[in-house]
Amino acid sequence: MKQPTLKTKEYDSEIFRKRIQKIQKKLSKGEILLLFAANHKIRNRDVEYKFRQNSDFYYLTGITEEDAIFILTSDTVGMFCLPKDKEKEIWTGIRLGKEKIKSMLGLDFTYDLTDWDKQKSAILIGNHTLYYFFGENPDRDRELLTECKTLSERAREGKFGPHRIEHPYFLHEERLIKSKDEIQILKNAAEITKFGHMRIMRESKPGMYEYELEALLEQEYLKYGSIGGGYGHIVASGKNACILHYVNNDDQLLDGELVLVDSGAEWKYYTADVTRVFPVGKRFTEPQKTIYEVVLYAQKNAIRHSVVGVPFNEVHEKTVRFLADCLREMGFLKGSLDEILEKETYKKFYMHRTGHYLGMDVHDVGRYYLDGKSRPLKDGQVVTVEPGLYFDPTDDSIPKEYRGIGIRIEDDILIHGKEPINLTESIPKEISEIEALKS
């Protein structure tokens, strides 16, 4: 099998300098943006989870060290970062240090993180608006609110601090539209993801366990330089596929059942998000084929409809209408189509949305509604398209041969004029392709 081509530059400071300049132009005098890097999270006792930088912080700086603080105003840009410390670096790795970071990004100032408490008043004073992602870190929220209150009490000195805190939506609006470099990274993430999905399609067999397939996915992702999955792998065999966010991954694969795998590799801080369904054994059963073909048809229609100018929610509404009509014609739902849609009885079988934004985060940032209306799709957006149907294994009103079937088919779609580009198109999803892999 052909090896994936993963050619992108390593750290390119020019990319991040340009992003900083672009965001800086959105700030007026008296406005300040603060971004905080992620910190290490404790898994248990003194063991930490694997570190992953905050997406917003990485997007603007490309810095992957913890606990740093990025400061941006209309005329200055700076950072507080971990100080150089030989003893600590022996244990946890070499730190960049303030001088190197200043040079890398062309910053106006850098301080050691240990200076933050001494400098934060001077940083905030004279700014009336603080742009900050409030609510992510309660301790940090309290610190900043206290500091703002303290500064407000210095009015008699002719000084002031922020009296308004706003969510920096403008940063997320920038992240919503992907550059050529970002699209290439997402293509590479998709290519790595393909190798994982195709391997488990080929190698799954009765008697294996879900966690064995999860291990194969992770092996393929890591082999090509990914940090692993961009979210928790869902490997759901049989009736587990009817649990939308099933992550136990500890059941045994049984002949005659299907496996639903929702997994995407993260590469260079961008993640793919793909769902495929395939038989444990060599062939789909007839009931499985019937439901699969309905979902596949719905997905292809939804992809075709994902074009510039179409309101994002319209893709979902048309998909719901199609699936509801199919369920009615097949006898799973009673009443007219309008009644089914009005009463939302289709949600017994289809209870989630048809897609979401994709990028650095699997459920990526950006507003879905503008002025109360569903946002039209634009060139450069990447979205998922993932319709599904799920048949409750405990529902006696459903014919026995359909109970426990869960089908979801998901691809990553780049909005590109009137011709959407499927970034994950090469991952097999036709029944004939999947069964050929199983032969």
Side-chain angles (χ1 to χ4, degrees):
M1 185 177 287
K2 183 182 177 183
Q3 299 294 298
T5 302
L6 305 175
K7 293 181 180 178
T8 59
K9 295 177 182 178
E10 292 304 317
Y11 186 87
D12 185 344
S13 62
E14 194 60 28
I15 289 175
F16 301 104
R17 289 186 185 206
K18 287 180 178 178
R19 288 177 181 173
I20 289 170
Q21 291 167 4
K22 199 169 185 181
I23 295 300
Q24 191 171 32
K25 290 177 181 177
K26 297 182 181 297
L27 296 173
S28 300
K29 188 171 180 60
E31 297 178 335
I32 184 170
L33 168 68
L34 293 186
L35 288 179
F36 293 86
N39 49 39
H40 278 289
K41 305 294 185 186
I42 298 298
R43 179 182 182 275
N44 60 294
R45 196 165 169 79
D46 58 353
V47 176
E48 297 168 336
Y49 284 104
K50 187 175 182 179
F51 180 76
R52 200 270 191 191
Q53 185 61 280
N54 173 277
S55 294
D56 290 311
F57 191 92
Y58 183 84
Y59 178 80
L60 275 190
T61 71
I63 301 299
T64 57
E65 293 184 356
E66 69 272 21
D67 297 330
I69 304 169
F70 178 76
I71 298 100
L72 186 65
T73 70
S74 61
D75 54 11
T76 60
V77 54
M79 190 182 296
F80 289 77
C81 58
L82 293 174
K84 295 291 289 181
D85 186 318
K86 184 66 175 178
E87 184 176 347
K88 290 184 177 178
E89 289 178 71
I90 289 172
W91 288 92
T92 58
I94 304 301
R95 296 173 176 180
L96 292 170
K98 61 184 179 183
E99 297 303 329
K100 185 169 185 179
I101 288 177
K102 185 177 182 180
S103 174
M104 287 166 62
L105 289 170
L107 305 180
D108 296 308
F109 65 88
T110 49
Y111 289 100
D112 288 335
L113 191 62
T114 49
D115 291 326
W116 169 246
D117 285 339
K118 290 186 296 184
Q119 296 292 336
K120 61 185 174 185
S121 292
I123 294 292
L124 291 171
I125 207 162
N127 293 291
H128 54 72
T129 301
L130 168 61
Y131 285 102
Y132 161 69
F133 289 106
F134 193 84
E136 294 182 354
N137 184 321
D139 291 336
R140 187 71 75 186
D141 294 348
R142 283 190 292 271
E143 175 192 5
L144 290 175
L145 286 172
T146 299
E147 191 63 34
C148 289
K149 181 177 182 298
T150 299
L151 291 174
S152 73
E153 294 169 353
R154 298 177 64 180
R156 285 175 293 179
E157 302 174 33
K159 298 177 180 179
F160 65 91
H163 55 263
R164 182 170 63 207
I165 298 177
E166 292 197 19
H167 190 287
Y169 281 113
F170 51 82
L171 175 55
H172 285 177
E173 289 300 296
E174 285 299 318
R175 283 179 53 189
L176 182 65
I177 306 301
K178 274 56 180 179
S179 67
K180 289 182 179 179
D181 289 324
E182 290 176 290
I183 290 167
Q184 183 58 54
I185 292 172
L186 281 164
K187 286 179 178 178
N188 291 346
E191 196 169 7
I192 296 170
T193 301
K194 174 184 72 175
F195 278 72
H197 276 267
M198 290 184 68
R199 182 174 178 186
I200 62 174
M201 284 183 193
R202 289 193 308 269
E203 296 188 18
S204 69
K205 59 185 177 182
M208 293 179 71
Y209 283 83
E210 293 164 343
Y211 54 73
E212 293 182 75
L213 300 189
E214 180 180 16
L216 294 175
L217 283 170
E218 195 73 5
Q219 181 184 17
E220 289 296 307
Y221 295 171
L222 294 174
K223 184 165 66 175
Y224 297 116
S226 165
I227 68 165
Y231 54 98
H233 306 286
I234 296 172
V235 182
S237 63
K239 65 182 183 300
N240 296 329
C242 296
I243 303 170
L244 299 183
H245 287 172
Y246 173 81
V247 292
N248 288 349
N249 299 348
D250 58 2
D251 266 2
Q252 191 172 32
L253 278 57
L254 302 178
D255 200 11
E257 292 186 339
L258 298 175
V259 187
L260 182 154
V261 177
D262 187 337
S263 175
E266 180 177 314
W267 198 71
K268 305 290 185 185
Y269 276 84
Y270 290 77
T271 186
D273 184 7
V274 175
T275 306
R276 291 292 187 265
V277 178
F278 53 89
V280 172
K282 295 186 180 298
R283 298 287 182 268
F284 289 83
T285 66
E286 288 306 314
Q288 291 167 354
K289 280 185 180 179
T290 298
I291 303 304
Y292 190 96
E293 292 288 6
V294 168
V295 175
L296 183 59
Y297 193 89
Q299 199 229 14
K300 289 178 178 178
N301 275 345
I303 291 173
R304 282 193 291 269
H305 197 60
S306 298
V307 299
V308 167
V310 170
F312 181 78
N313 200 47
E314 187 175 302
V315 178
H316 174 66
E317 290 171 346
K318 287 182 176 292
T319 301
V320 166
R321 189 172 189 88
F322 172 78
L323 291 176
D325 199 31
C326 289
L327 290 165
R328 182 186 63 82
E329 289 186 357
M330 295 168 70
F332 292 110
L333 291 174
K334 306 299 182 185
S336 69
L337 179 57
D338 287 341
E339 288 173 337
I340 290 168
L341 295 172
E342 182 181 354
K343 295 178 181 178
E344 297 185 333
T345 53
Y346 64 85
K347 286 188 174 181
K348 176 179 176 180
F349 301 95
Y350 183 40
M351 61 293 290
H352 60 77
R353 308 292 293 179
T354 302
H356 53 77
Y357 300 157
L358 183 70
M360 299 184 78
D361 299 306
V362 65
H363 294 146
D364 209 32
V365 295
R367 292 176 174 175
Y368 286 87
Y369 286 83
L370 298 175
D371 299 322
K373 295 181 180 179
S374 181
R375 181 179 203 147
L377 293 169
K378 292 181 67 175
D379 275 329
Q381 283 183 265
V382 178
V383 301
T384 66
V385 175
E386 50 178 306
L389 287 175
Y390 311 88
F391 294 78
D392 187 344
T394 66
D395 190 338
D396 291 340
S397 69
I398 298 173
K400 187 175 180 180
E401 63 270 25
Y402 290 96
R403 287 179 221 159
I405 292 178
I407 307 287
R408 181 167 65 255
I409 306 172
E410 177 181 23
D411 283 297
D412 304 342
I413 308 302
L414 170 64
I415 306 305
H416 183 258
K418 299 300 180 182
E419 297 181 0
I421 297 173
N422 187 344
L423 302 179
T424 49
E425 186 176 30
S426 62
I427 304 175
K429 63 181 179 182
E430 298 291 340
I431 287 178
S432 59
E433 294 176 321
I434 294 170
E435 290 186 341
L437 272 177
K438 304 289 292 181
S439 297

